[in-house]
Amino acid sequence: MRTRRGGCRISVVVTVLVLVTLVSPGAFAQAGGRDVTGDILANRDVTLSGDAVVRLTGGVTTYTGVIGGEGVFTVGGTGTLVLVKNSDFTLPADRRRQKIVTVGGNHPVTTIENPDPPAVIVQRGATLQYGSGSGGDGVLGHFVQAPGVSLNTLNHRVDGTLDLAVHRAVSLGVISGAGLVKQRRGTWPGIELPGTHPFSGTLYVGTGADYGSVNYLTAMPNVRKVVNQGSFIHNAPDAEVVTDAADIYSQYYGNDINFHTWGSGVVRMSGVYSWSDNGSDTDPALSEPARNFATVPHRDNKRGINIEGATVTWGDGTNNRFFLPGNENTVYINLHAERNGTRSVLTFDYNGPVTLDAPISGGRYHDTMADVGRGDVVIAATRGNAVTFTAPQNYDGDTTIGDGASLRLGDGSPQGDSSLLPTGKIVDNGELIVQNAGQGARLARIGGKGAVTQAGPATTILTGELTYTGRTTVKAGTLAVTGGSLAASAAVDLPAAGTKLDLTRSDDPTVNNLSGAEGSTVAAGRALTVRATTATTFGGTLNATGEVTKTGAETLTLTGKHTTPDSAWTVGEGTLALAGSVQARQLAVAPAGTLRSTGTVQAAVDNAGTVEATGLTVRGAYTQRPGARLTGTRLTVTGAVQLAGTFAPSSAQGPGVLIDNQGTEPVRGTFEGLPEGAGITYHGGDGNDVVLTGGSGPVRSDTATPHGASVSRSGALWWVGVAAAALVLLTAVVFLVRRRARAGK
């Protein structure tokens, strides 16, 4: 029996040791420690010699003593303990392990490594209040000085409420727990938050909080929500990224988030900054998302952003929960420049569509439109990052659109128009879409490898240096180019009827790889050049007062009607396939060009290259130059016909009218190698048509001979002789075979 009891005693001891090993020092202290409730109630000073706990029993207890010694101080029970004097104690030596590390030389940055366990614990249901709010600023702390910051080495665990009613900067060491840390309104300067905090509760910023600085880093990856009733100030040291992923709520008018960074530091916000019209301090909420956009009494839902020469990112590329839902009535965004000239940069980084309904400007606080914003805006190169602006923007810097991203100006509604100031450049490596319904936009200096799309009924004007190399698309309304050129744009497409590309005031009216639907229009002034490096079809209308030139080695097919009576058209290179009609002063085909047509040219045609006519009608004269070529089945001409060069019939070509000369003048000239009577007559039909007769010799295509060569009449007769000799030889062979067969029989 003694042995069994002894075994039981050993088992109990082992169990206790295991529990001591598994439970954190803070949790162990919550379960026990010296009870100092009586000392606290009696306002006696307390000297810790290990862990101590005060057990509140409701109401408010104001403590005028001080706490010293070594240990952990725990506030438990229910009610509020108010400290009006500063206390200084430390953890026992065997629990101290954290290191304060400062690096950076002239720009020192301090971090806390391997943090100590909590020295101040506020249990669930209890409230610890620092300061009376009216003068007494009692704080529990043991401070060490680092460059630019005084660090509290007493780390805090808050599962209940820590109420900060002090009028000086407060450091709480490393914060853990899941309760509420609340800094009251009107208690400047606020909380300093150096270190990485495991705290997963709610942070209430009543007046101010410093989330990072030029001298230290802050991270609170587990914070659920922040209530911001004052200025939530974010900062990042040089070469560091400070991230705040919390959802932030405001409850009354007059709060903002301010950003400061040093050097290449970046602050990244990946939560949502929203109004809260219900819930509690520990669990703020918004009853309806639309209330972020509605004006409410006293403008209680007005909140703002001040970027003070800082580099800031909204979103982390993993979702599309937009950081600042609101419009010009409920939010403001100010981009400022530092005195040393450092300008602000605001980046949007989402993986889906988001909308900014407020202007980015540069005034002071709520008077945001009093000055322009001093900074740049970036749409990050994250696939699916689709940002829409629905208000006119008022910042003076550049706008950059990353590869795979898009920026849309306007949402297609009359109240959702947007624009950019012409003072900055647009670096477009993704897609810029303009979708204004009422007020047109004027955009200057667009570069990059991205695309530009006109998608709204209001006219968009592009001006200045246009060097972007992506596609230009006019889906709706009019896109006008004034004082610039689309010559660098890889392709131009007008996919809908009623769309228009206006190049009448363009410096260089050149478009590449033009395509479009019936009912679309391309209008140019003195000249229009269409370059085809890929085969395209344009079913709309080309208008120009000057020359229209087709260049590029590939085929441009025109199916519409083009009325340009004062213009001279030139097919400089490649193929112009005309299925519709062209009215012009003249149409010239250069030596490297080809006109392939089943349509109508209401102009004189001057062919120095190739004309492929399969039902082509020329309402004017047709002149074919030496070295030029005509191929096809039928050409109708109403004016004078002057021939030179060659003719190449199609494989199915037979006798019949080749050129129906409806003019009164006889045909002048002949095709090279095809004189009158060589299977062709230039006086056929009504006396002045060009007709293939198939008479005294075949008409051959010049494609069987070197370019520019022809087949002579004597050469044709020689081929007839060869054919006759072959027929005689074949007859003799047949005769011999039959004779031998009879002999064998």
Side-chain angles (χ1 to χ4, degrees):
M1 292 295 290
R2 278 197 287 266
T3 302
R4 185 176 294 118
R5 285 198 296 270
C8 291
R9 284 197 295 271
I10 292 172
S11 175
V12 171
V13 171
V14 171
T15 302
V16 171
L17 288 175
V18 170
L19 287 174
V20 169
T21 301
L22 294 179
V23 177
S24 68
F28 184 74
Q30 292 180 40
R34 182 165 66 97
D35 191 328
V36 295
T37 305
D39 293 328
I40 296 297
L41 294 176
N43 286 317
R44 291 191 293 266
D45 293 345
V46 174
T47 300
L48 301 178
S49 57
D51 299 340
V53 59
V54 55
R55 305 186 189 280
L56 304 176
T57 57
V60 176
T61 300
T62 300
Y63 178 57
T64 60
V66 295
I67 302 170
E70 292 185 354
V72 173
F73 182 71
T74 298
V75 180
T78 60
T80 301
L81 174 63
V82 180
L83 305 183
V84 296
K85 291 183 179 179
N86 293 325
S87 294
D88 187 344
F89 63 91
T90 64
L91 275 175
D94 60 352
R95 300 189 199 177
R96 299 179 213 155
R97 61 175 184 250
Q98 71 183 23
K99 293 182 179 180
I100 297 173
V101 179
T102 300
V103 297
N106 292 331
H107 305 286
V109 176
T110 297
T111 57
I112 301 172
E113 296 183 357
N114 195 20
D116 289 339
V120 179
I121 298 172
V122 184
Q123 294 181 344
R124 185 176 180 182
T127 298
L128 173 61
Q129 178 178 320
Y130 284 171
S132 64
S134 60
D137 287 350
V139 173
L140 298 178
H142 182 76
F143 294 90
V144 297
Q145 190 63 41
V149 61
S150 182
L151 297 173
N152 190 349
T153 61
L154 299 185
N155 298 331
H156 285 56
R157 178 181 178 92
V158 182
D159 291 305
T161 297
L162 179 59
D163 187 355
L164 305 176
V166 297
H167 295 268
R168 62 184 177 88
V170 178
S171 170
L172 302 174
V174 175
I175 309 171
S176 59
L180 170 66
V181 175
K182 179 175 182 178
Q183 186 245 352
R184 293 189 181 184
R185 303 193 76 180
T187 54
W188 285 106
I191 317 171
E192 293 181 331
L193 297 167
T196 297
H197 306 272
F199 183 63
S200 60
T202 299
L203 176 65
Y204 187 107
V205 182
T207 299
D210 288 325
Y211 193 103
S213 81
V214 295
N215 297 121
Y216 64 79
L217 296 173
T218 296
M220 303 185 80
N222 303 317
V223 167
R224 297 183 300 112
K225 297 180 179 181
V226 174
V227 178
N228 182 33
Q229 301 296 80
S231 289
F232 197 16
I233 301 171
H234 290 67
N235 208 325
D238 186 27
E240 299 287 351
V241 177
V242 171
T243 298
D244 185 353
D247 286 339
I248 303 169
Y249 291 86
S250 69
Q251 295 174 332
Y252 303 104
Y253 176 84
N255 61 87
D256 54 29
I257 300 177
N258 299 331
F259 296 96
H260 305 262
T261 57
W262 175 257
S264 61
V266 177
V267 176
R268 176 178 290 123
M269 310 295 288
S270 56
V272 177
Y273 185 18
S274 174
W275 185 40
S276 170
D277 65 350
N278 63 61
S280 62
D281 288 349
T282 56
D283 191 21
L286 181 63
S287 60
E288 170 59 45
R291 303 210 70 189
N292 272 321
F293 302 85
T295 302
V296 301
H298 312 295
R299 296 190 292 171
D300 275 349
N301 60 347
K302 188 72 175 280
R303 57 208 184 281
I305 299 294
N306 297 296
I307 303 177
E308 306 295 345
T311 301
V312 179
T313 297
W314 292 353
D316 61 4
T318 65
N319 61 69
N320 64 330
R321 298 177 65 242
F322 186 56
F323 177 68
L324 192 64
N327 54 33
E328 68 275 10
N329 297 317
T330 60
V331 301
Y332 63 86
I333 307 167
N334 294 322
L335 301 186
H336 296 141
E338 295 282 20
R339 292 182 179 178
N340 63 6
T342 302
R343 293 163 55 83
S344 296
V345 178
L346 175 59
T347 297
F348 297 81
D349 188 6
Y350 297 95
N351 66 357
V354 297
T355 299
L356 173 66
D357 292 298
I360 301 172
S361 193
R364 304 303 299 179
Y365 305 107
H366 299 270
D367 192 12
T368 181
M369 299 304 290
D371 197 1
V372 299
R374 310 295 180 182
D376 306 324
V377 170
V378 177
I379 312 302
T382 299
R383 188 66 56 182
N385 189 15
V387 179
T388 298
F389 291 167
T390 64
Q393 298 305 313
N394 194 41
Y395 59 90
D396 65 359
D398 296 343
T399 303
T400 299
I401 307 168
D403 187 10
S406 66
L407 172 62
R408 186 181 299 268
L409 301 180
D411 63 0
S413 67
Q415 63 274 13
D417 291 343
S418 184
S419 60
L420 302 175
L421 293 180
T423 49
K425 296 181 296 183
I426 300 174
V427 182
D428 177 13
N429 291 316
E431 184 176 14
L432 173 64
I433 305 165
V434 188
Q435 191 173 310
N436 287 345
Q439 186 66 39
R442 185 181 184 90
L443 305 174
R445 297 189 295 166
I446 306 175
K449 63 179 183 179
V452 173
T453 299
Q454 162 67 15
T459 298
T460 299
I461 297 174
L462 305 184
T463 188
E465 188 177 3
L466 304 174
T467 60
Y468 69 92
T469 58
R471 191 177 189 86
T472 302
T473 304
V474 186
K475 290 184 176 180
T478 297
L479 178 66
V481 179
T482 300
S485 172
L486 296 182
S489 177
V492 174
D493 184 29
L494 291 83
T499 56
K500 182 178 182 180
L501 175 63
D502 184 353
L503 303 175
T504 55
R505 292 185 290 171
S506 172
D507 287 343
D508 176 11
T510 296
V511 295
N512 295 303
N513 301 316
L514 177 65
S515 59
E518 181 180 356
S520 62
T521 302
V522 175
R526 54 182 175 80
L528 173 63
T529 299
V530 183
R531 182 187 298 124
T533 58
T534 60
T536 59
T537 298
F538 180 66
T541 300
L542 299 180
N543 290 327
T545 58
E547 184 173 354
V548 177
T549 303
K550 156 61 176 78
T551 64
E554 295 297 329
T555 299
L556 169 65
T557 300
L558 300 180
T559 62
K561 296 181 179 180
H562 311 280
T563 304
T564 56
D566 298 325
S567 300
W569 285 51
T570 300
V571 185
E573 56 182 341
T575 299
L576 176 64
L578 181 63
S581 65
V582 169
Q583 180 184 2
R585 179 165 51 84
Q586 180 185 3
L587 191 152
V589 183
T594 297
L595 173 65
R596 179 188 302 143
S597 181
T598 59
T600 300
V601 177
Q602 298 185 53
V605 173
D606 191 317
N607 178 21
T610 299
V611 171
E612 299 178 7
T614 308
L616 168 63
T617 297
V618 177
R619 300 194 183 281
Y622 177 76
T623 301
Q624 183 161 311
R625 304 291 180 179
R629 185 173 73 161
L630 174 67
T631 185
T633 56
R634 189 178 182 91
L635 171 65
T636 299
V637 182
T638 64
V641 177
Q642 174 72 51
L643 299 179
T646 61
F647 166 65
S650 67
S651 59
Q653 193 87 30
V657 176
L658 173 63
I659 300 178
D660 180 7
N661 183 5
Q662 297 182 356
T664 59
E665 299 181 20
V667 174
R668 291 180 292 171
T670 64
F671 296 118
E672 295 176 11
L674 290 177
E676 175 71 27
I680 191 170
T681 177
Y682 301 91
H683 309 292
D686 58 3
N688 60 357
D689 294 335
V690 178
V691 178
L692 301 179
T693 62
S696 57
V699 177
R700 289 183 49 78
S701 167
D702 67 347
T703 58
T705 63
H707 183 68
S710 61
V711 180
S712 66
R713 182 183 180 113
S714 61
L717 292 176
W718 183 85
W719 279 107
V720 171
V722 170
L727 180 62
V728 171
L729 179 60
L730 179 61
T731 302
V733 170
V734 172
F735 173 76
L736 289 175
V737 170
R738 287 180 176 178
R739 180 176 180 181
R740 184 170 295 179
R742 283 196 299 270
K745 187 176 178 180

